[in-house]
Amino acid sequence: EVAALAIRSRYLWMRGEVQEARRTIELAAAAAEAVGMRFFVATCEGSRGELEYRAGDLDAAERAARRGYEILDATGHVGIKTTHAADLATYLARLGRLEEAERFAAIGRIAAEDDLSSQSIAGTAETIVLAARGNLEGAEDRARAVVAMVADAEWPQAQGDAWMELA
């Protein structure tokens, strides 16, 4: 049930039904919390973070991503924790909290080289930080590297995000 609600929430926000998506991810997180499924609570928080980011609420995105990351860190889930760290880094960078963003991007980067999700999202956060610090050439180089990284992936959302960051 938790997974089905979380997936439904994702499709709802992709269709622009943000309020219903919020309600649905809240139901998923509450169901996972009620039965002690901490890993699923964390993944719901990751989904909530992305939903809020795309809805334009950076503060809510940061809170959700941080909660998901902290749960994964406390429970020892190393692999997916790096993706949550990279997401958190992106939201922090957008909020202008550059030092903290760099710290979480570095955590995202410790993922295996073939962990495309963590690597590309951490690269996006690094791009934002470089641009915010006025290193536009470095930011463009980093953004181009992320575009190349996801070019052959069967992941249109990441490809679109990478190209938008480069723009």
Side-chain angles (χ1 to χ4, degrees):
E1 180 180 1
V2 172
L5 287 167
I7 291 168
R8 177 169 170 66
S9 173
R10 182 174 188 83
Y11 288 123
L12 287 165
W13 68 253
M14 286 179 160
R15 289 184 3 194
E17 298 178 40
V18 175
Q19 293 306 324
E20 185 62 16
R22 285 177 172 139
R23 188 187 74 73
T24 304
I25 198 64
E26 180 58 37
L27 288 172
E33 191 82 59
V35 294
M37 297 171 65
R38 302 291 290 158
F39 175 81
F40 284 106
V41 172
T43 60
C44 287
E45 291 301 333
S47 294
R48 185 192 323 257
E50 186 175 9
L51 182 162
E52 295 298 351
Y53 176 67
R54 295 189 185 280
D57 190 340
L58 292 174
D59 292 319
E62 184 268 336
R63 282 190 306 274
R66 185 178 302 277
R67 181 166 187 244
Y69 173 83
E70 289 172 351
I71 291 169
L72 293 168
D73 190 43
T75 57
H77 288 91
V78 177
I80 193 169
K81 180 179 85 169
T82 59
T83 304
H84 280 252
D87 283 333
L88 180 55
T90 300
Y91 310 150
L92 290 166
R94 292 272 186 231
L95 287 165
R97 294 162 55 186
L98 305 182
E99 291 77 21
E100 195 175 8
E102 281 181 316
R103 203 168 63 248
F104 280 99
I107 294 168
R109 283 271 182 214
I110 64 167
E113 224 174 87
D114 64 347
D115 181 348
L116 188 60
S117 183
S118 296
Q119 296 293 337
S120 64
I121 297 167
T124 295
E126 292 165 349
T127 298
I128 298 164
V129 169
L130 288 166
R133 291 195 169 136
N135 183 350
L136 301 183
E137 187 176 314
E140 182 178 345
D141 289 347
R142 191 73 197 100
R144 287 187 187 286
V146 174
V147 166
M149 188 184 304
V150 299
D152 294 329
E154 294 181 8
W155 190 15
Q157 182 179 327
Q159 292 162 336
D161 289 346
W163 280 106
M164 288 300 293
E165 204 56 55
L166 179 59

